[in-house]
Amino acid sequence: MVPDLPALVDEIATTMQAMEDRGQVASYIPELAKVDPAQFGIAIATADGRLLVGGDADTGFSIQSISKVFALTLALGKVGDQLWDRVGREPSGNAFNSIVQLEQEQGIPRNPFINAGAIVVSDVNLGGHQPRVAIGEMLRFVRYLAGDDAIAINEEVAASETATGFRNMALANYMRAFGNVRHPVDLVLGSYFHQCAIEMNCRQLALAGRYLMLDGRHPDGGRVVSPGRARRINALMLTCGHYDASGDFAFRVGIPGKSGVGGGILAIVPGRASIAVWSPGLNENGNSQLGTQALELLARRTGWSVFSPPDAR
Ligand code: GLU
């Protein structure tokens, strides 16, 4: 099936812009609570080099937990499979910021996409440096992936989360007690909060995700990660990318995706497309309400799914 993608992107943007029930904007980070929920953007970067955009695809938003995909990629580059001694690879079945499981599992977070796991990944990426070094590295990496040097950190969002991120401080301190956070907690969280505060628009995010649809290759020909590593990152996005609604997202959409509380979702159709959707209102599981619906519609109309035979997509 070869869908008329430009027409479909327009249709999805128009449909989503007309929706009345848009979910609730995240309020636990005060700066995010100020974002107007009446926005929706979509961008699709295809394996054959096209970029299709619709709605508010050029409006920047806080990528929040989507940054965990890029941070994981960097950490695997630094320590390889040793990372898995400190972070698991199982869906958590708990809220993204849950502390309960950590006690039962002796400070080893379930996966790198819940907050506790991402904080360990930030600890790895710090590697004995000051946060500004790690943050600079992350920013350079994301700019390289997207081919866009305009990508920047929203300092107000970072400051807002630094001032109110008490749960994350608890998670980090708790893991430090188990020896699974090795740098001072304020440095690790400084790095983590800034990484989450990277601002991108749908266009930039879809471009940044291309290596995951291209088996680890950057479209300029360079290799970002090995094919095996790209597949594993996609596997983690599918199984753990939507907090405790990851199973539901796999059921409804059927492709790897990582969401953030800023309302963005990065979704990957291996060999086909890197997709970014954004709408700030979240559903009860903390995932973008319209973003999820848009991806569901896109997957249904294109037949894109990691569960269908390649010729059906
Ligand atoms: N910075 C957010 C937090 O740590 C990220 C959460 C998310 O996007 O899921 O609470």
Side-chain angles (χ1 to χ4, degrees):
M1 177 179 3
V2 184
D4 178 356
L5 271 187
L8 184 53
V9 165
D10 281 347
E11 182 197 327
I12 291 173
T14 310
T15 308
M16 294 304 146
Q17 276 161 337
M19 290 278 191
E20 281 180 10
D21 181 5
R22 311 182 78 90
Q24 297 294 321
V25 174
S27 57
Y28 77 100
I29 301 174
E31 209 50 36
L32 294 186
K34 298 180 185 165
V35 179
D36 176 8
Q39 303 183 81
F40 172 83
I42 179 168
I44 304 180
T46 63
D48 59 12
R50 289 177 295 156
L51 181 67
L52 307 154
V53 296
D56 302 306
D58 290 308
T59 305
F61 59 91
S62 195
I63 67 168
Q64 292 295 320
S65 273
I66 303 169
S67 67
K68 294 171 183 174
V69 175
F70 306 122
L72 171 66
T73 306
L74 279 181
L76 286 170
K78 285 181 201 296
V79 299
D81 285 343
Q82 283 175 20
L83 182 71
W84 307 121
D85 297 337
R86 294 175 59 186
V87 188
R89 304 186 294 249
E90 290 293 338
S92 72
N94 276 318
F96 68 103
N97 55 7
S98 169
I99 202 163
V100 176
Q101 226 159 27
L102 271 183
E103 172 151 39
Q104 285 152 359
E105 298 178 358
Q106 267 92 63
I108 309 284
R110 271 286 170 104
N111 68 66
F113 293 156
I114 52 173
N115 283 10
I119 290 168
V120 172
V121 168
S122 284
D123 189 60
V124 169
N125 283 337
L126 258 186
H129 299 292
Q130 286 299 311
R132 68 183 149 72
V133 176
I135 295 162
E137 183 183 30
M138 168 71 75
L139 207 47
R140 274 195 303 283
F141 182 52
V142 174
R143 287 173 174 172
Y144 158 69
L145 293 175
D148 191 338
D149 283 345
I151 296 170
I153 290 171
N154 183 324
E155 289 294 341
E156 271 115 57
V157 173
S160 183
E161 204 174 353
T162 306
T164 58
F166 304 113
R167 276 192 91 95
N168 286 322
M169 289 169 208
L171 290 169
N173 276 299
Y174 200 53
M175 291 188 292
R176 179 125 195 184
F178 282 105
N180 201 18
V181 162
R182 298 179 183 166
H183 297 82
V185 162
D186 57 329
L187 301 189
V188 178
L189 288 177
S191 184
Y192 171 75
F193 291 147
H194 279 81
Q195 151 199 320
C196 290
I198 293 175
E199 199 160 282
M200 292 168 88
N201 58 37
C202 287
R203 187 187 290 268
Q204 292 164 329
L205 186 58
L207 291 173
R210 290 172 297 178
Y211 72 108
L212 293 171
M213 77 159 153
L214 296 174
D215 235 11
R217 257 187 320 106
H218 191 290
D220 74 3
R223 182 155 282 293
V224 182
V225 288
S226 68
R229 188 160 285 167
R231 287 172 213 166
R232 287 173 154 188
I233 295 170
N234 283 333
L236 287 167
M237 287 170 71
L238 184 75
T239 53
C240 310
H242 278 72
Y243 319 120
D244 49 345
S246 299
D248 189 57
F249 185 83
F251 183 85
R252 285 169 62 184
V253 181
I255 55 179
K258 180 73 203 88
S259 80
V261 291
I265 303 176
L266 172 65
I268 304 296
V269 189
R272 280 277 188 198
S274 166
I275 307 155
V277 288
W278 167 64
S279 183
L282 309 179
N283 61 23
E284 65 283 2
N285 291 305
N287 299 306
S288 174
Q289 174 143 316
L290 296 191
T292 307
Q293 286 177 27
L295 288 170
E296 195 175 4
L297 181 56
L298 179 71
R300 196 165 60 234
R301 297 288 283 278
T302 54
W304 289 346
S305 163
V306 293
F307 302 108
S308 55
D311 53 358
R313 48 179 167 109

